[in-house]
Amino acid sequence: GKSYTLRELKKRDDWEEWRRARYTMLNSYHEQGMFSEPMEAPDNANIHHMLWRYLIKMCGTRKARMVCDGSPHQGTITLGHTFANSLDAASERLFWAVVAQKGLTAYGADVSNAFAEAPAPVYPLYMRIDEAYRDWWENCLQRSPIPPQCTVVRVNNAIQGHPESSRLWEKLIDKILRDIGFQPTVHEPC
């Protein structure tokens, strides 16, 4: 679907639906324990911006996704590995061809906020509190306004947009799949 800027959305008649979509995203992170309580920024902290993307899904649902701005100009300090295995396109085509040729049934699944299920990046990560977070904090959670000196939250889990998150998620899901009896192939370890 088409993506929108915040400026465009605030002019639309359906702005309140978009605002609720932000609440849904932040509520999901809240349930997963993604962020600490608002705090003062520690000295020499690895601080990134909250980055929002807004789009309308094919079914008409308003989707607000908040991720970490992990772009290089943010100064990400990465001490862990960032490489994550991914399925080779030829192997994926072969998988679907075998499923079709043998008349098999293939099942798929999606994990909501998958990265947030994985542990936090190696180096402590903080995100700068933005207007959307403040709005959610006060109007959805019904909490007192965040004091002006509290400008960040610590990120407690992996988060989309951070360079280490793909690898952290892969390690987590690989362990889960192995624990239930799946074994990776040599040529496709993921």
Side-chain angles (χ1 to χ4, degrees):
K2 179 186 181 325
S3 65
Y4 297 91
T5 65
L6 184 59
R7 180 176 289 151
E8 290 173 324
L9 293 180
K10 286 191 171 186
K11 293 177 184 174
R12 292 174 53 109
D13 293 339
D14 61 351
W15 164 240
E16 283 304 314
E17 289 181 64
W18 289 102
R19 190 173 173 211
R20 285 191 300 276
R22 292 193 317 192
Y23 292 172
T24 299
M25 173 83 252
L26 289 167
N27 283 339
S28 179
Y29 277 155
H30 187 65
E31 290 168 14
Q32 290 176 298
M34 176 62 80
F35 302 118
S36 70
E37 293 285 310
M39 64 175 61
E40 292 183 39
D43 291 337
N44 300 316
N46 184 18
I47 302 173
H48 292 261
H49 292 282
M50 295 178 177
L51 185 65
W52 287 89
R53 182 160 186 247
Y54 304 94
L55 58 95
I56 298 177
K57 295 169 74 171
M58 288 178 57
C59 64
T61 302
R62 272 84 177 145
K63 177 78 174 175
R65 168 71 70 186
M66 189 269 283
V67 301
C68 169
D69 183 354
S71 60
H73 73 274
Q74 289 293 310
T76 300
I77 299 171
T78 303
L79 300 176
H81 296 289
T82 59
F83 174 79
N85 289 311
S86 62
L87 186 61
D88 182 82
S91 294
E92 182 179 7
R93 286 193 301 272
L94 178 60
F95 170 81
W96 290 113
V98 170
V99 167
Q101 194 275 332
K102 294 191 174 283
L104 300 172
T105 302
Y107 294 92
D110 189 12
V111 178
S112 179
N113 292 331
F115 286 172
E117 299 294 333
V122 172
Y123 188 80
L125 173 66
Y126 299 83
M127 292 182 71
R128 196 167 309 286
I129 296 170
D130 67 359
E131 173 269 329
Y133 191 92
R134 288 180 190 281
D135 174 49
W136 167 78
W137 183 264
E138 294 176 27
N139 298 304
C140 187
L141 292 185
Q142 300 294 306
R143 304 277 297 268
S144 298
I146 299 169
Q149 70 273 18
C150 296
T151 58
V152 300
V153 288
R154 183 167 176 168
V155 180
N156 297 322
N157 307 349
I159 187 167
Q160 189 173 345
H162 190 276
E164 286 182 66
S165 293
S166 296
R167 177 73 175 145
L168 294 167
W169 164 248
E170 182 202 8
K171 286 172 63 176
L172 174 70
I173 194 64
D174 185 68
K175 180 181 180 334
I176 291 169
L177 292 172
R178 287 172 187 261
D179 286 350
I180 62 174
F182 284 95
Q183 294 295 317
T185 62
V186 173
H187 67 285
E188 286 290 357
C190 63

